[in-house]
Amino acid sequence: MPGSAPISCLGPWPKDVGIIAMELYFPSQYVDQAELEQFDNVPAGKYTIGLGQARMGFCSDREDINSLCLTVVQRLMERNGLSYDSIGRLEVGTETIIDKSKSVKTVLMQLFEDSGNTDVEGIDTTNACYGGTAALFNAVNWVESSSWDGRYALVVAGDIAVYATGSARPTGGAGAVAMLVGPNAPLAFERGLRGTHMQHAYDFYKPDMVSEYPVVDGKLSIECYLSALDRCYSVYRNKIHAQRQRDDSEKHFSLEDFGFLVFHSPYCKLVQKSLARLMLNDFLNHPSPNTETGHFAGLDAFRDIKPEETYFDRDVEKAFMKASAELFERKTKPSLLISNQNGNMYTPSVYGCLASVLAEHTSSQLAGQRVGVFSYGSGFAATLYSLRVTQDHTPGSGLDKLVSSLSDLKVRLNSRTKVSPAVFSESMKLREETHHLASYIPQSSVEGLFPGTWYLTRVDDKHRREYARRPLDDDLPAEPERVRSSTAAEHIPSPAKKMPRIPSTTAGPEAASSN
């Protein structure tokens, strides 16, 4: 198994608690954003340049939040050779609610049945796109607490992001991320370095319990996102300066102290603006910035501005996006692979960005780096924290295994099926008309789903949902139409084993929310 959880949890504080393994799932079909621009009769570039999006993954009526999470959990367990009795905590972060009482976590417990392990703490955590981060913090805190029994924690973040027809629809997407948490992790949480901001706002919310669509105040949502970023960065910076003072260091903290920076990504252009926003913060908080040369050259005219008055200031935005362009290319752009190609996944969005960084670099390039992570959820809740990558990047190390497991992301993205905007629109209409129906049999075909994907087979007259799994081998007969967990003998023995074969493809804004 990856990592090395001790037999007993007694003794000193567990060392280097963090992310040991990750698995990512996204739908097997997508719509091209350039084609969607034409279909929606909007100016060319509105989605592709204005939002920075190329493709958007979406789910048919065969997939829901339960099936997404079933898929990503079983894939993580199989690909890492994990037994289900090695998990002591399982928590799900999601805002895709299909039941007001029963948690997604309880549905996932069906995967544990063959192992006999029912001693698994945790339930669902919900607050827009922040739920996955809250679940991750809970898992880390559990491992570092007196409640820990020496087993791993498993965190799942999953969502289906859909919008009504209009300017926000191209910022949709779907997917799920599963993360194995424990000690001696290749991605360890830096203790004490979290900056959090919590406030009340109606920027994005879902008051209609029978609809998947949110109510969005796009401008307010962006203002909330950027103001939360300002405040979280300020708290984080103060905490790291306090740590340095205790260590008798007077070194000034700046963006250069991060090897990589990843952000919750509703759309890629907002992420680019967010990095520029952090440079604005560095500039305003520097005691004596050099405006003659370097990153701050030519920015002296902005020395006395007030950050809270600049959320929609085009001059400030343009100047600092230009000033931060090199940093963006180096520290943040690699994180946007999944966001650009699959769209907004809500709770897993920022962790899709983290997975993208791991997929776009070698173990040696990542070793020893500090990764800044900004997580935002509307309503609103936000945290900026950091992970420290282990120095050990030798073959077979935890970092090497983690990076290797994500190295196929581009292959998987390019193996999806492209569908026309008209088909996409019909699929959204079908979801809209059948969402939360009882006595419903999904209409979409399961043939295009990736091997190993769980899917919805029926909803009975009491709203009880049943699922089946596509076989890992396309030549095998379909599994019975019920949730079925694997036995230990079915687990893939090697963490380095490649993903199952994926079917080949059949074809080659500001109004958006920041949820």
Side-chain angles (χ1 to χ4, degrees):
M1 290 188 292
S4 54
I7 296 175
S8 172
C9 60
L10 301 178
W13 198 310
K15 183 181 179 183
D16 294 334
V17 176
I19 300 169
I20 295 171
M22 292 183 74
E23 182 57 49
L24 178 65
Y25 172 75
F26 41 78
S28 60
Q29 58 189 359
Y30 72 91
V31 62
D32 183 88
Q33 293 277 17
E35 293 180 4
L36 193 59
E37 289 171 345
Q38 295 180 339
F39 183 80
D40 290 344
N41 293 314
V42 301
K46 183 176 178 65
Y47 305 158
T48 53
I49 299 175
L51 296 176
Q53 301 301 120
R55 298 174 176 177
M56 178 170 56
F58 67 96
C59 295
S60 71
D61 64 337
R62 281 290 181 179
E63 294 188 277
D64 62 13
I65 185 58
N66 292 337
S67 69
L68 263 60
C69 293
L70 284 164
T71 297
V72 79
V73 167
Q74 189 155 16
R75 283 187 174 184
L76 181 136
M77 299 298 284
E78 289 175 342
R79 295 188 75 186
N80 290 280
L82 289 162
S83 61
Y84 283 91
D85 57 8
S86 69
I87 305 299
R89 185 178 183 91
L90 168 59
E91 188 161 350
V92 177
T94 184
E95 64 171 88
T96 304
I97 307 299
I98 56 175
D99 191 287
K100 293 185 289 185
S101 176
K102 183 174 174 61
S103 68
V104 176
K105 185 269 181 73
T106 59
V107 176
L108 296 179
M109 287 306 299
Q110 293 173 96
L111 296 174
F112 288 70
E113 287 180 358
D114 289 348
S115 71
N117 178 23
T118 59
D119 180 19
V120 184
E121 295 185 7
I123 47 173
D124 290 5
T125 301
T126 301
N127 189 88
C129 299
Y130 188 80
T133 293
L136 180 58
F137 287 173
N138 289 344
V140 170
N141 294 343
W142 177 73
V143 173
E144 292 184 339
S145 77
S146 61
S147 299
W148 186 49
D149 63 5
R151 292 182 294 169
Y152 296 112
L154 185 57
V155 176
V156 186
D159 274 305
I160 298 173
V162 289
Y163 295 86
T165 303
S167 60
R169 174 157 281 187
T171 63
V177 171
M179 295 171 279
L180 188 71
V181 174
N184 308 309
L187 300 182
F189 276 73
E190 292 200 285
R191 192 170 299 158
L193 293 182
R194 293 186 198 171
T196 292
H197 179 73
M198 300 276 176
Q199 200 172 332
H200 165 63
Y202 279 114
D203 59 326
F204 171 109
Y205 52 108
K206 296 178 177 177
D208 186 349
M209 300 303 291
V210 298
S211 172
E212 288 190 286
Y213 299 145
V215 177
V216 183
D217 184 333
K219 185 174 182 180
L220 176 60
S221 188
I222 292 169
E223 181 177 335
C224 290
Y225 182 104
L226 296 177
S227 66
L229 179 61
D230 287 347
R231 294 171 187 178
C232 289
Y233 188 47
S234 176
V235 173
Y236 180 94
R237 187 175 56 240
N238 290 340
K239 287 184 177 180
I240 203 165
H241 280 155
Q243 281 193 5
R244 288 179 174 181
Q245 287 176 356
R246 289 194 294 270
D247 295 335
D248 295 323
S249 172
E250 297 297 326
K251 182 183 177 184
H252 184 78
F253 180 82
S254 73
L255 292 180
E256 286 292 356
D257 288 81
F258 292 111
F260 302 97
L261 274 156
V262 302
F263 300 80
H264 167 58
S265 179
Y267 53 95
C268 294
K269 186 55 70 73
L270 183 59
V271 170
Q272 188 173 0
K273 293 178 180 179
S274 296
L275 187 72
R277 188 80 193 173
L278 293 186
M279 177 167 280
L280 169 64
N281 277 265
D282 274 359
F283 175 68
L284 294 178
N285 285 279
H286 197 289
S288 55
N290 179 0
T291 57
E292 300 297 326
T293 60
H295 294 308
F296 299 147
L299 298 177
D300 49 311
F302 302 102
R303 187 61 177 155
D304 297 323
I305 61 173
K306 296 179 180 180
E308 63 273 15
E309 297 177 356
T310 63
Y311 300 129
F312 302 102
D313 188 316
R314 296 291 188 182
D315 292 335
V316 171
E317 181 181 282
K318 182 178 179 180
F320 283 89
M321 285 183 70
K322 180 179 179 181
S324 62
E326 186 273 332
L327 285 181
F328 173 74
E329 291 289 328
R330 183 159 44 97
K331 296 179 181 292
T332 298
K333 188 176 181 180
S335 73
L336 296 178
L337 171 64
I338 297 297
S339 181
N340 173 263
Q341 294 291 307
N342 184 56
N344 187 6
M345 299 186 291
Y346 287 169
T347 53
S349 170
V350 70
Y351 299 103
C353 292
L354 178 60
S356 296
V357 169
L358 300 176
E360 295 279 70
H361 295 87
T362 64
S363 299
S364 60
Q365 291 172 328
L366 294 163
Q369 298 286 352
R370 168 182 282 135
V371 182
V373 181
F374 177 67
S375 178
Y376 174 84
S378 292
F380 60 93
T383 297
L384 173 65
Y385 66 94
S386 54
L387 301 166
R388 179 67 76 174
V389 184
T390 180
Q391 292 282 2
D392 183 7
H393 60 277
T394 56
S397 64
L399 178 60
D400 180 63
K401 292 177 181 178
L402 176 59
V403 171
S404 296
S405 73
L406 297 168
S407 62
D408 64 348
L409 281 187
K410 283 187 176 179
V411 172
R412 291 163 60 186
L413 286 167
N414 291 333
S415 297
R416 296 173 298 168
T417 300
K418 183 174 77 169
V419 302
S420 70
V423 172
F424 164 70
S425 181
E426 290 170 4
S427 181
M428 292 299 98
K429 188 173 186 296
L430 177 62
R431 289 189 66 91
E432 182 178 332
E433 294 173 345
T434 61
H435 177 68
H436 212 61
L437 284 183
S439 303
Y440 178 64
I441 304 296
Q443 302 175 29
S444 302
S445 170
V446 302
E447 294 306 311
L449 298 175
F450 290 142
T453 299
W454 285 96
Y455 59 91
L456 180 68
T457 60
R458 68 187 290 259
V459 183
D460 72 11
D461 60 351
K462 293 185 177 180
H463 288 275
R464 294 175 296 192
R465 293 171 176 247
E466 298 177 12
Y467 302 87
R469 191 189 190 201
R470 283 214 69 195
L472 292 175
D473 187 329
D474 281 339
D475 296 328
L476 294 177
E479 298 193 19
E481 293 192 346
R482 60 184 178 85
V483 171
R484 171 175 173 267
S485 59
S486 65
T487 64
E490 291 174 314
H491 291 149
I492 296 174
S494 172
K497 180 151 181 152
K498 297 294 184 182
M499 279 292 294
R501 182 171 63 85
I502 298 172
S504 61
T505 180
T506 58
E510 293 295 359
S513 103
S514 65
N515 177 36

